[in-house]
Coordinates of all heavy atoms in Angstrom, one line a residue:
E73 N 37.3 -94.4 12.7 CA 37.1 -94.6 14.1 C 35.7 -95.0 14.4 O 35.4 -95.9 15.2 CB 37.5 -93.3 14.9 CG 38.9 -93.0 14.9 CD 39.2 -91.6 15.5 OE1 38.2 -90.9 15.8 OE2 40.4 -91.2 15.6
S74 N 34.7 -94.3 13.8 CA 33.3 -94.6 14.1 C 32.9 -95.9 13.4 O 32.1 -96.6 14.0 CB 32.5 -93.4 13.5 OG 32.8 -92.2 14.1
C75 N 33.4 -96.2 12.3 CA 33.1 -97.4 11.6 C 33.4 -98.6 12.4 O 32.7 -99.6 12.5 CB 33.8 -97.4 10.2 SG 33.5 -98.9 9.2
K76 N 34.6 -98.6 13.0 CA 35.1 -99.7 13.8 C 34.3 -100.0 15.1 O 34.4 -101.0 15.7 CB 36.6 -99.5 14.1 CG 37.4 -99.6 12.8 CD 38.8 -99.3 13.1 CE 39.6 -99.1 11.7 NZ 40.9 -98.5 11.9
T77 N 33.5 -99.0 15.5 CA 32.6 -99.2 16.6 C 31.2 -99.5 16.2 O 30.3 -99.5 17.0 CB 32.6 -97.9 17.5 OG1 32.1 -96.8 16.8 CG2 34.0 -97.6 18.0
D78 N 31.0 -99.8 14.9 CA 29.7 -100.1 14.3 C 28.6 -99.1 14.4 O 27.4 -99.3 14.3 CB 29.2 -101.4 15.0 CG 29.8 -102.7 14.4 OD1 30.5 -102.6 13.3 OD2 29.7 -103.7 15.0
I79 N 29.0 -97.8 14.5 CA 28.1 -96.7 14.5 C 27.3 -96.7 13.2 O 26.2 -96.3 13.1 CB 28.7 -95.4 14.8 CG1 29.1 -95.3 16.3 CG2 27.9 -94.2 14.4 CD1 29.8 -94.0 16.8
F80 N 28.0 -97.1 12.1 CA 27.4 -97.0 10.8 C 26.6 -98.2 10.4 O 26.1 -98.3 9.3 CB 28.5 -96.7 9.7 CG 29.2 -95.4 9.9 CD1 30.6 -95.3 9.6 CD2 28.6 -94.3 10.4 CE1 31.3 -94.1 9.8 CE2 29.3 -93.1 10.7 CZ 30.6 -93.0 10.3
K81 N 26.4 -99.1 11.3 CA 25.6 -100.2 11.1 C 24.1 -99.9 11.3 O 23.8 -99.4 12.4 CB 26.0 -101.4 12.0 CG 25.3 -102.7 11.7 CD 25.9 -103.8 12.6 CE 25.3 -105.1 12.2 NZ 25.9 -106.1 13.0
V82 N 23.3 -100.0 10.3 CA 21.8 -99.7 10.5 C 21.0 -100.9 10.9 O 21.2 -102.0 10.2 CB 21.3 -99.1 9.1 CG1 19.8 -98.8 9.2 CG2 22.1 -97.9 8.7
A83 N 20.2 -100.8 11.9 CA 19.4 -101.9 12.3 C 18.2 -102.0 11.4 O 17.7 -101.1 10.7 CB 18.9 -101.6 13.7
T84 N 17.8 -103.3 11.2 CA 16.6 -103.5 10.4 C 15.3 -103.3 11.2 O 15.4 -103.3 12.5 CB 16.6 -105.0 9.9 OG1 16.6 -105.9 11.1 CG2 17.8 -105.3 9.0
S85 N 14.3 -103.0 10.6 CA 13.0 -102.7 11.2 C 12.4 -104.0 11.8 O 12.5 -105.0 11.2 CB 12.0 -102.0 10.3 OG 12.5 -100.8 9.9
E86 N 11.8 -103.8 12.9 CA 11.1 -104.9 13.6 C 9.9 -105.4 12.8 O 9.2 -104.5 12.2 CB 10.7 -104.6 15.0 CG 11.8 -104.3 15.9 CD 11.3 -103.9 17.3 OE1 10.3 -104.5 17.8 OE2 11.9 -102.9 17.9
P87 N 9.5 -106.6 12.9 CA 8.3 -107.1 12.2 C 7.1 -106.3 12.8 O 7.0 -106.0 14.0 CB 8.2 -108.6 12.6 CG 9.6 -109.0 12.9 CD 10.2 -107.7 13.5
G88 N 6.2 -105.9 11.9 CA 5.0 -105.2 12.4 C 5.1 -103.7 12.5 O 4.2 -103.0 12.8
A89 N 6.4 -103.2 12.3 CA 6.6 -101.8 12.3 C 5.9 -101.1 11.2 O 5.7 -101.7 10.1 CB 8.1 -101.5 12.3
P90 N 5.4 -99.9 11.4 CA 5.7 -99.0 12.5 C 4.8 -99.4 13.7 O 3.6 -99.7 13.5 CB 5.4 -97.6 12.0 CG 4.3 -97.8 10.9 CD 4.7 -99.2 10.3
L91 N 5.3 -99.3 14.9 CA 4.6 -99.7 16.1 C 4.1 -98.4 16.8 O 4.8 -97.4 17.0 CB 5.6 -100.4 17.0 CG 6.3 -101.6 16.4 CD1 7.4 -102.1 17.3 CD2 5.3 -102.7 16.1
A92 N 2.9 -98.5 17.2 CA 2.2 -97.4 18.0 C 2.9 -97.3 19.4 O 3.2 -98.3 20.0 CB 0.7 -97.6 18.1
G93 N 3.1 -96.1 19.8 CA 3.6 -95.9 21.2 C 4.0 -94.4 21.4 O 4.0 -93.6 20.4
A94 N 4.3 -94.1 22.6 CA 4.7 -92.7 22.9 C 6.0 -92.4 22.3 O 7.0 -93.0 22.7 CB 4.7 -92.5 24.5
N95 N 6.1 -91.5 21.4 CA 7.3 -91.2 20.6 C 7.9 -90.0 21.1 O 7.3 -88.9 21.1 CB 6.9 -91.1 19.1 CG 8.1 -91.1 18.2 OD1 9.2 -90.7 18.6 ND2 8.0 -91.7 17.0
S96 N 9.1 -90.1 21.6 CA 9.8 -88.9 22.2 C 10.8 -88.3 21.2 O 11.4 -87.3 21.5 CB 10.6 -89.3 23.5 OG 11.6 -90.2 23.2
F97 N 10.9 -88.8 20.0 CA 11.8 -88.2 19.0 C 11.2 -86.8 18.5 O 10.0 -86.7 18.4 CB 11.9 -89.1 17.7 CG 12.5 -90.4 18.0 CD1 12.0 -91.5 17.4 CD2 13.6 -90.6 18.7 CE1 12.5 -92.8 17.6 CE2 14.2 -91.8 18.9 CZ 13.7 -92.9 18.3
T98 N 12.1 -85.9 18.3 CA 11.8 -84.7 17.7 C 11.6 -84.9 16.2 O 12.1 -86.0 15.7 CB 12.8 -83.6 17.9 OG1 14.0 -84.0 17.2 CG2 13.1 -83.3 19.4
E99 N 11.1 -84.0 15.4 CA 11.0 -84.2 14.0 C 12.4 -84.4 13.4 O 12.6 -85.2 12.5 CB 10.3 -83.0 13.3 CG 10.2 -83.1 11.8 CD 9.5 -81.9 11.2 OE1 9.2 -80.9 11.9 OE2 9.3 -82.0 10.0
D100 N 13.4 -83.6 13.8 CA 14.8 -83.7 13.3 C 15.4 -85.1 13.6 O 16.1 -85.7 12.8 CB 15.7 -82.6 13.9 CG 15.4 -81.3 13.2 OD1 14.8 -81.2 12.1 OD2 15.8 -80.2 13.8
Q101 N 15.1 -85.6 14.8 CA 15.6 -86.9 15.1 C 14.9 -88.0 14.3 O 15.6 -89.0 13.9 CB 15.3 -87.2 16.6 CG 16.2 -86.4 17.5 CD 15.8 -86.5 19.0 OE1 14.6 -86.7 19.3 NE2 16.8 -86.4 19.9
A102 N 13.6 -87.9 14.0 CA 13.0 -88.8 13.1 C 13.6 -88.7 11.7 O 13.8 -89.7 11.0 CB 11.5 -88.5 13.0
K103 N 13.8 -87.5 11.2 CA 14.5 -87.3 9.9 C 15.8 -87.9 9.8 O 16.2 -88.5 8.8 CB 14.5 -85.8 9.5 CG 13.2 -85.2 9.1 CD 13.4 -83.8 8.8 CE 12.1 -83.2 8.3 NZ 12.3 -81.7 7.9
D104 N 16.6 -87.8 10.9 CA 17.9 -88.5 11.0 C 17.8 -90.0 10.8 O 18.6 -90.6 10.0 CB 18.6 -88.2 12.3 CG 19.5 -86.9 12.3 OD1 19.7 -86.4 11.2 OD2 19.9 -86.5 13.4
R105 N 16.8 -90.6 11.4 CA 16.6 -92.0 11.2 C 16.2 -92.4 9.8 O 16.7 -93.4 9.2 CB 15.6 -92.5 12.2 CG 16.2 -92.6 13.6 CD 15.2 -92.6 14.7 NE 15.9 -92.8 16.0 CZ 16.7 -91.9 16.6 NH1 16.9 -90.7 16.1 NH2 17.3 -92.2 17.7
V106 N 15.5 -91.5 9.1 CA 15.1 -91.7 7.7 C 16.4 -91.7 6.9 O 16.6 -92.6 6.0 CB 14.1 -90.7 7.3 CG1 13.8 -90.7 5.8 CG2 12.7 -90.8 8.0
V107 N 17.2 -90.6 7.0 CA 18.4 -90.5 6.2 C 19.4 -91.6 6.5 O 20.0 -92.2 5.6 CB 19.0 -89.1 6.5 CG1 20.4 -89.0 5.9 CG2 18.1 -88.0 6.0
A108 N 19.5 -92.0 7.8 CA 20.4 -93.1 8.2 C 20.0 -94.4 7.5 O 20.9 -95.3 7.3 CB 20.4 -93.3 9.7
N109 N 18.8 -94.6 7.2 CA 18.3 -95.8 6.5 C 18.3 -95.7 5.0 O 17.7 -96.5 4.3 CB 16.9 -96.1 7.0 CG 16.9 -96.8 8.3 OD1 16.9 -98.1 8.3 ND2 16.8 -96.1 9.4
G110 N 19.0 -94.7 4.5 CA 19.3 -94.7 3.0 C 18.2 -93.9 2.2 O 18.3 -93.9 1.0
F111 N 17.4 -93.2 2.9 CA 16.4 -92.4 2.2 C 17.0 -90.9 2.1 O 17.8 -90.5 2.9 CB 15.1 -92.3 2.9 CG 14.4 -93.7 3.0 CD1 14.6 -94.5 4.1 CD2 13.5 -94.1 2.0 CE1 14.0 -95.7 4.1 CE2 12.9 -95.3 2.0 CZ 13.2 -96.2 3.1
A112 N 16.6 -90.2 1.1 CA 17.1 -88.8 0.9 C 15.9 -87.8 1.0 O 14.8 -88.1 0.9 CB 17.7 -88.7 -0.5
T113 N 16.3 -86.6 1.3 CA 15.5 -85.4 1.4 C 14.1 -85.7 2.0 O 13.1 -85.5 1.4 CB 15.3 -84.8 0.0 OG1 14.7 -85.7 -0.9 CG2 16.6 -84.3 -0.6
P114 N 14.1 -86.1 3.3 CA 12.8 -86.3 3.9 C 12.0 -84.9 4.0 O 12.6 -83.9 4.2 CB 13.1 -86.8 5.3 CG 14.5 -86.4 5.6 CD 15.2 -86.3 4.2
S115 N 10.7 -85.0 3.8 CA 9.8 -83.9 3.8 C 9.6 -83.5 5.3 O 10.0 -84.2 6.2 CB 8.5 -84.2 3.2 OG 7.8 -85.2 4.0
A116 N 8.8 -82.4 5.5 CA 8.3 -82.1 6.8 C 7.6 -83.3 7.3 O 6.9 -83.9 6.5 CB 7.5 -80.9 6.8
M117 N 7.7 -83.7 8.5 CA 7.0 -84.8 9.1 C 6.0 -84.4 10.1 O 6.3 -83.4 10.8 CB 8.1 -85.8 9.6 CG 9.0 -86.3 8.5 SD 10.2 -87.5 9.2 CE 9.2 -89.0 9.3
T118 N 5.0 -85.2 10.3 CA 4.0 -84.9 11.3 C 3.8 -86.2 12.1 O 3.9 -87.3 11.6 CB 2.6 -84.5 10.7 OG1 2.2 -85.5 9.8 CG2 2.8 -83.2 10.0
K119 N 3.6 -86.0 13.4 CA 3.4 -87.2 14.3 C 1.9 -87.4 14.4 O 1.1 -86.5 14.7 CB 3.9 -86.9 15.7 CG 4.1 -88.1 16.5 CD 4.6 -87.9 18.0 CE 5.5 -86.8 18.2 NZ 5.9 -86.8 19.7
D120 N 1.4 -88.7 14.1 CA 0.0 -89.0 14.2 C -0.4 -89.4 15.6 O 0.4 -89.3 16.5 CB -0.3 -90.0 13.1 CG 0.2 -91.4 13.4 OD1 0.6 -91.7 14.6 OD2 0.2 -92.3 12.5
E121 N -1.7 -89.7 15.7 CA -2.3 -90.0 17.0 C -1.7 -91.3 17.6 O -1.9 -91.5 18.8 CB -3.8 -90.1 16.9 CG -4.3 -91.3 16.0 CD -4.3 -91.1 14.5 OE1 -4.0 -89.9 14.1 OE2 -4.6 -92.0 13.8

Side-chain angles (χ1 to χ4, degrees):
E73 291 167 357
S74 300
C75 180
K76 292 171 191 168
T77 63
D78 281 343
I79 286 177
F80 299 145
K81 188 175 184 177
V82 177
T84 57
S85 293
E86 294 179 41
L91 307 169
N95 195 324
S96 63
F97 297 136
T98 66
E99 181 180 4
D100 285 341
Q101 290 170 328
K103 286 181 177 183
D104 272 346
R105 282 157 176 75
V106 170
V107 172
N109 276 272
F111 297 91
T113 60
S115 69
M117 299 181 75
T118 56
K119 194 182 330 180
D120 70 15
E121 66 279 356

